[in-house]
């Protein structure tokens, strides 16, 4: 599943085409969504396997071997969680200024973060599973009659791994459904535009995300008959960028007719 995130990082940088005018940014979202679904399926399979082992209690559990394997898995996944977590939280602070504006660099940082996040969530799930196996096998090794601990620990840590993905899943679904980002209030944005002296109304307002950190807006702005079109357009765009941090803006200006 980590390979899916690496592929999406590569594919998201493909150039836009006349048919795919937004490029391939959505591949990132689809790839992480696929990784999460695979993680959920894997956790369901692991729980089913634990139930099957409990039903066949005469089956020998090689405690020392499984405990050693689980400890090795915990160590490896802990290192990967540290490295990926550091990259996920630290990359967006490394801003370059060569050939890019600061806003574009920040958006690219968040684009990188969503790819790292896909691998990060997968490794977190593996780490939790290995911790669960280590605890359950350690207890069964100590007291072989406690085989039910295997099912209990597997269930608990599978649920923890699933809960860890819920907020990301909601964010991805919002992007796929082209929902306005939660940090942006469309009503407040529209009201702020209408408070301008030159603007009389705002309609056809649409706010959506192509991927995490890449928000777009389009709307129609109706202005007074005597308002300067270019000056008002610049004022509207500057307000949206300054107050709501949206850099991909398309505005259609409509002049109100004199009565």
């Amino acid at each position: 599943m980590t390979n899916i995130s690496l592929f999406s990082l590569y594919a998201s940088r493909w150039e836009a085409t006349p048919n795919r005018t937004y490029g391939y940014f959505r591949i990132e979202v689809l790839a992480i969504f696929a990784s999460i679904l695979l993680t959920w399926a894997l956790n369901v399979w692991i729980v089913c396997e634990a139930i099957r082992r409990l039903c066949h209690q005469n089956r020998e559990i090689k405690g020392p071997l499984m405990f050693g394997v689980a400890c090795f898995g915990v160590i490896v996944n802990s290192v990967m969680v540290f490295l990926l977590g550091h990259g996920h939280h630290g990359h967006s602070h490394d801003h370059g200024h060569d050939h890019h504006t600061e806003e574009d660099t920040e958006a690219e940082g968040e684009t990188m973060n969503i790819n790292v996040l896909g691998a990060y969530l997968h490794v977190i799930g593996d780490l939790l599973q290995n911790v669960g196996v280590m605890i359950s096998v350690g207890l069964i090794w100590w007291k072989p009659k406690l085989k039910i601990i295997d099912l209990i620990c597997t269930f608990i840590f599978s649920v923890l791994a699933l809960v860890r993905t819920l907020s990301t899943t909601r964010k991805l679904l919002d992007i796929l459904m082209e929902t306005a980002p939660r940090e942006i209030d469309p009503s407040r944005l529209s009201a702020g535009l209408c408070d301008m002296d030159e603007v009389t109304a705002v309609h056809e307002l649409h706010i959506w995300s192509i991927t995490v950190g890449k928000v777009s807006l389009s709307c129609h702005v109706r202005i007074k008959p005597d308002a300067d079109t270019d000056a008002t357009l610049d004022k509207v765009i500057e307000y949206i960028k300054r107050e709501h941090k949206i850099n991909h803006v398309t505005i259609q200006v409509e002049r109100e007719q004199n009565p």
Side-chain angles (χ1 to χ4, degrees), residues 22 25 39 62 120 128 169 176 185 226 230 236 253:
Y22 281 114
F25 290 108
T39 300
K62 298 180 180 179
Y120 181 71
L128 291 173
T169 303
L176 292 175
D185 184 353
D226 57 344
D230 291 337
V236 166
V253 178

Side-chain angles (χ1 to χ4, degrees), residues 132-172:
V133 171
M134 186 178 69
I135 293 173
S136 61
V137 171
L139 290 173
I140 293 171
W141 184 16
W142 175 51
K143 286 192 175 182
K145 292 183 179 180
L146 295 176
K147 290 187 177 181
I148 195 172
I149 294 294
D150 183 29
L151 176 60
I152 294 173
C153 287
T154 300
F155 181 77
I156 290 174
F157 286 97
S158 293
V159 169
L160 289 175
L162 294 177
V163 169
R164 182 70 179 80
T165 65
L166 291 180
S167 62
T168 302
T169 303
R170 184 179 66 177
K171 183 182 294 186
L172 296 179

Side-chain angles (χ1 to χ4, degrees), residues 7-64:
F7 170 75
S8 67
L9 175 60
Y10 168 73
S12 66
R13 297 183 178 275
W14 292 346
E15 294 292 334
T17 68
N19 292 327
R20 291 186 172 89
T21 54
Y22 281 114
Y24 292 82
F25 290 108
R26 279 286 168 88
I27 288 181
E28 303 164 337
V29 178
L30 295 174
I32 294 180
F33 197 62
S35 294
I36 289 174
L37 292 178
L38 287 172
T39 300
W40 289 357
L42 180 61
N43 277 274
V44 170
W45 178 78
I46 290 173
V47 171
C48 291
E49 278 294 299
I51 295 173
R52 188 176 65 84
R53 289 197 302 270
L54 184 64
C55 294
H56 298 82
Q57 295 201 21
N58 58 333
R59 185 177 178 181
E60 181 185 359
I61 296 179
K62 298 180 180 179

Side-chain angles (χ1 to χ4, degrees), residues 66-242:
M66 292 184 66
F67 186 79
V69 172
C71 288
F72 178 76
V74 168
I75 293 171
V76 171
N77 283 293
S78 295
V79 172
M80 293 183 68
V81 166
F82 172 77
L83 294 176
L84 290 171
H86 179 73
H88 174 59
H89 295 295
H91 180 86
S92 60
H93 297 291
D94 181 19
H95 299 312
H97 297 281
D98 231 7
H99 309 295
H100 291 79
T101 64
E102 185 176 347
E103 291 84 358
D104 289 339
T105 308
E106 288 176 357
E108 288 178 5
E110 292 195 54
T111 295
M112 176 72 74
N113 282 346
I114 194 174
N115 288 283
V116 177
L117 179 60
Y120 181 71
L121 289 174
H122 173 56
V123 175
I124 281 285
D126 285 348
L127 175 61
L128 291 173
Q129 289 295 343
N130 281 311
V131 170
V133 171
M134 186 178 69
I135 293 173
S136 61
V137 171
L139 290 173
I140 293 171
W141 184 16
W142 175 51
K143 286 192 175 182
K145 292 183 179 180
L146 295 176
K147 290 187 177 181
I148 195 172
I149 294 294
D150 183 29
L151 176 60
I152 294 173
C153 287
T154 300
F155 181 77
I156 290 174
F157 286 97
S158 293
V159 169
L160 289 175
L162 294 177
V163 169
R164 182 70 179 80
T165 65
L166 291 180
S167 62
T168 302
T169 303
R170 184 179 66 177
K171 183 182 294 186
L172 296 179
L173 287 174
D174 282 346
I175 292 174
L176 292 175
M177 294 299 295
E178 298 190 342
T179 306
R182 295 175 184 273
E183 66 272 14
I184 298 174
D185 184 353
S187 299
R188 188 171 74 85
L189 188 152
S190 179
L193 294 178
C194 290
D195 284 342
M196 297 180 182
D197 293 336
E198 302 88 348
V199 177
T200 60
V202 175
H203 60 100
E204 297 295 331
L205 174 63
H206 301 285
I207 307 171
W208 70 99
S209 297
I210 303 302
T211 186
V212 173
K214 203 170 185 66
V215 182
S216 297
L217 177 148
S218 67
C219 70
H220 292 212
V221 175
R222 186 173 299 139
I223 62 175
K224 295 178 179 178
D226 57 344
D228 184 294
T229 302
D230 291 337
T232 303
L233 180 60
D234 290 340
K235 186 177 179 181
V236 166
I237 293 175
E238 194 275 333
Y239 167 80
I240 294 172
K241 289 184 176 181
R242 184 186 70 250

